[in-house]
Amino acid sequence: MLQRFLLATAVVLIAGVALPSIGTAAGTDPATFINNLGNQLRAVTSYPSPERKLARFRDLFREDFDVPGLGRFVLGRFWPIFTPSEQQEFLGLFENLVLLTYSKRLLEYADGSNGPRVTGSRLDQDGAVVSSEISRGPNQTVQPLKVDWRLSAREGQYKISDVIIDGFSMAANGRSQLEGVVERNGGRAQAILSR
């Protein structure tokens, strides 16, 4: 009984000491990270060609998102079923899907004075969550989108591991969609790659 108490105390102390250091280890506070992302997105909207916008958005996605971690989460229980080459193929396809699905919408919201406006942040055991609002245009009667950015500390910096829009997790939604693909294809996980 005493060993359990000592072990539990040690875990709590280590967690208590480690948690505040996440922000320091990540090099910037979580709110500043999201504010910087918003500034970079606004800069991308000024590029004249759609091709250049997409290329720069891809760079931002690779720099600021935990693409491998997010891809593994979305693939879920199917990740270990895939061979290493299938895993890499999936990550490349996943990156393209996210870019083509979300880049236009994010850039629309980041245009002009819009973009994420940080409303709060909190540290958690995995990193931090930054709450923000994104205006949907000049019409002030339209409610802004509520967006939470889940950040993980990776290699000394923050990376986005999920985006939660009006309470809906994009990562959980992606996982659910892939499970549906497998279900509709007779349980064949490799059907994900062809879809």
Side-chain angles (χ1 to χ4, degrees):
M1 180 89 148
L2 180 60
Q3 282 181 316
R4 285 186 191 165
F5 174 75
L6 291 174
L7 180 61
T9 302
V11 168
V12 168
L13 287 174
I14 290 169
V17 169
L19 190 58
S21 69
I22 289 174
T24 304
T28 186
D29 76 285
T32 300
F33 178 85
I34 294 302
N35 281 329
N36 289 340
L37 175 65
N39 292 336
Q40 292 173 342
L41 286 171
R42 278 188 287 280
V44 171
T45 63
S46 68
Y47 292 169
S49 74
E51 295 81 15
R52 187 142 180 241
K53 285 180 183 180
L54 185 60
R56 181 60 182 129
F57 188 82
R58 182 182 298 275
D59 292 341
L60 287 176
F61 184 68
R62 288 178 177 163
E63 291 168 14
D64 294 335
F65 283 75
D66 179 11
V67 178
L70 188 53
R72 280 191 301 276
F73 176 84
V74 169
L75 199 54
R77 62 189 169 104
F78 306 117
W79 181 262
I81 295 171
F82 281 20
T83 66
S85 65
E86 288 172 328
Q87 292 170 348
Q88 291 308 306
E89 179 183 357
F90 172 77
L91 289 176
L93 293 169
F94 175 71
E95 179 180 304
N96 286 334
L97 174 69
V98 170
L99 286 169
L100 295 174
T101 302
Y102 296 108
S103 63
K104 183 177 180 189
R105 180 61 56 96
L106 259 176
L107 291 173
E108 283 174 5
Y109 288 139
D111 194 14
S113 63
N114 298 331
R117 184 181 64 80
V118 173
T119 59
S121 67
R122 69 183 186 282
L123 295 177
D124 67 14
Q125 71 271 13
D126 296 325
V129 176
V130 177
S131 298
S132 70
E133 292 181 342
I134 299 178
S135 298
R136 296 189 230 197
N139 185 352
Q140 297 301 322
T141 61
V142 177
Q143 291 293 322
L145 288 172
K146 301 220 181 287
V147 180
D148 288 337
W149 307 82
R150 180 165 295 285
L151 306 179
S152 303
R154 298 278 186 258
E155 300 173 8
Q157 61 185 7
Y158 282 118
K159 297 282 186 178
I160 299 167
S161 56
D162 194 9
V163 180
I164 302 148
I165 301 173
D166 283 335
F168 294 100
S169 162
M170 297 296 98
N173 183 46
R175 178 182 275 189
S176 176
Q177 288 180 12
L178 292 182
E179 287 176 352
V181 168
V182 172
E183 186 177 305
R184 288 187 300 277
N185 286 279
R188 280 184 41 283
Q190 282 69 17
I192 292 169
L193 298 175
S194 61
R195 286 288 294 154

